[in-house]
Amino acid sequence: MGAYQVLIVGAGFAGSEAAYRLAQRGVRVGLLTQSLDSVMMPFLPPTPPFPPGSLLEGAYDPQDPRVWAFHARAKYLLEGEPRLHLFQATATGLLLEGERAVGVTTWEGPSVRAERVVLAVGSFLGSTLRMGAVEEEAGRLSEASYPDLFAHLQELGFRFQVREGEVPETPSTPGYRVRYHAFLPEEWEEATFRLRRLGGLYAVGLCVREGPYALMSQEGLRLAEHLLHELG
């Protein structure tokens, strides 16, 4: 049907974990991120325990807990998978054929097609970041939101709830709050990760449920196992 068997939009903990496991099992995966400099970038250093055999576990080094170093190791492992294509683009909407998602449109112009599409967009749907008196459309510090994708999902009838998250101040970054939208529980099937309104469309991570890094990693692995079963 398309260039990829699975296209994952968002390279945070859940999306990256799912892409890594699928590629290891022989699936052609596209992993789309708005910034290659923020692939699997934590707010704070991850701390064990981690899911055994996970990308999270593989990228963790207790001798070097710096968040940038963790990101670099995770990105290196992702780029080393021959069936995984990690690339930078901004998704603006879904490509549809009838009642099925078959890819995404991008701000850059080219569309990306796949047999199955996963939204792993974290806190980036309709998001607003507040830091003191400053307010901007961002899902985390210096990372833009997905306003076009969010508007398109609303046009398709998807319903959302508002959530808020707080990132504490660190020696290198200021603290801030993010207000964002997540799919309502009725839109999402927890057992299959499917978004009910369209075929071929799934969601994982903060855009459907909250949790720490280890849980997001575990959810990515669970999604990968479900898709492997579907793909046969």
Side-chain angles (χ1 to χ4, degrees):
M1 178 185 293
Y4 304 111
Q5 291 172 277
V6 178
L7 172 66
I8 299 176
V9 181
F13 279 77
S16 294
E17 197 71 73
Y20 189 63
R21 178 58 58 88
L22 286 167
Q24 286 181 318
R25 299 289 180 85
V27 177
R28 298 190 313 277
V29 184
L31 181 56
L32 181 157
T33 176
Q34 290 196 101
S35 172
L36 292 170
D37 289 334
S38 60
V39 172
M40 211 168 178
M41 176 74 82
F43 300 117
L44 299 169
T47 55
F50 303 133
S54 64
L55 175 62
L56 176 55
E57 182 182 62
Y60 177 71
D61 181 355
Q63 303 303 316
D64 187 359
R66 297 173 301 159
V67 296
W68 185 262
F70 175 88
H71 146 79
R73 290 189 295 267
K75 185 180 174 187
Y76 176 83
L77 291 170
L78 289 165
E79 291 177 331
E81 284 297 324
R83 298 184 71 83
L84 192 158
H85 179 202
L86 174 63
F87 64 104
Q88 183 170 300
T90 300
T92 54
L94 298 174
L95 278 178
L96 302 177
E97 289 184 357
E99 297 297 313
R100 186 174 183 86
V102 295
V104 298
T105 58
T106 69
W107 179 86
E108 290 77 8
S111 299
V112 186
R113 296 180 66 87
E115 296 175 23
R116 288 165 173 79
V117 178
V118 177
L119 299 181
V121 290
S123 58
F124 287 77
L125 292 177
S127 55
T128 304
L129 183 148
R130 296 181 181 86
M131 183 174 59
V134 177
E135 182 175 299
E136 61 180 1
E137 288 188 356
R140 54 187 280 174
L141 195 62
S142 301
E143 294 183 41
S145 63
Y146 284 97
D148 297 322
L149 177 60
F150 180 53
H152 182 63
L153 292 168
Q154 288 179 306
E155 290 170 4
L156 292 171
F158 286 102
R159 295 169 299 159
F160 299 86
Q161 59 185 321
V162 177
R163 288 182 177 160
E164 288 201 9
E166 184 172 2
V167 178
E169 182 178 357
T170 72
S172 59
T173 59
Y176 58 91
R177 296 188 64 83
V178 175
R179 183 177 183 271
Y180 66 99
H181 291 76
F183 290 97
L184 281 173
E186 306 93 271
E187 300 285 352
W188 181 66
E189 296 178 358
E190 183 174 1
T192 66
F193 294 89
R194 290 177 179 166
L195 288 168
R196 292 187 170 99
R197 293 180 184 269
L198 295 170
L201 185 63
Y202 307 78
V204 70
L206 282 179
C207 64
V208 286
R209 68 184 308 179
E210 297 176 286
Y213 300 137
L215 176 60
M216 296 296 99
S217 173
Q218 189 63 57
E219 286 290 274
L221 293 171
R222 189 167 70 87
L223 169 62
E225 293 302 320
H226 175 76
L227 290 176
L228 286 166
H229 175 75
E230 282 197 359
L231 292 166

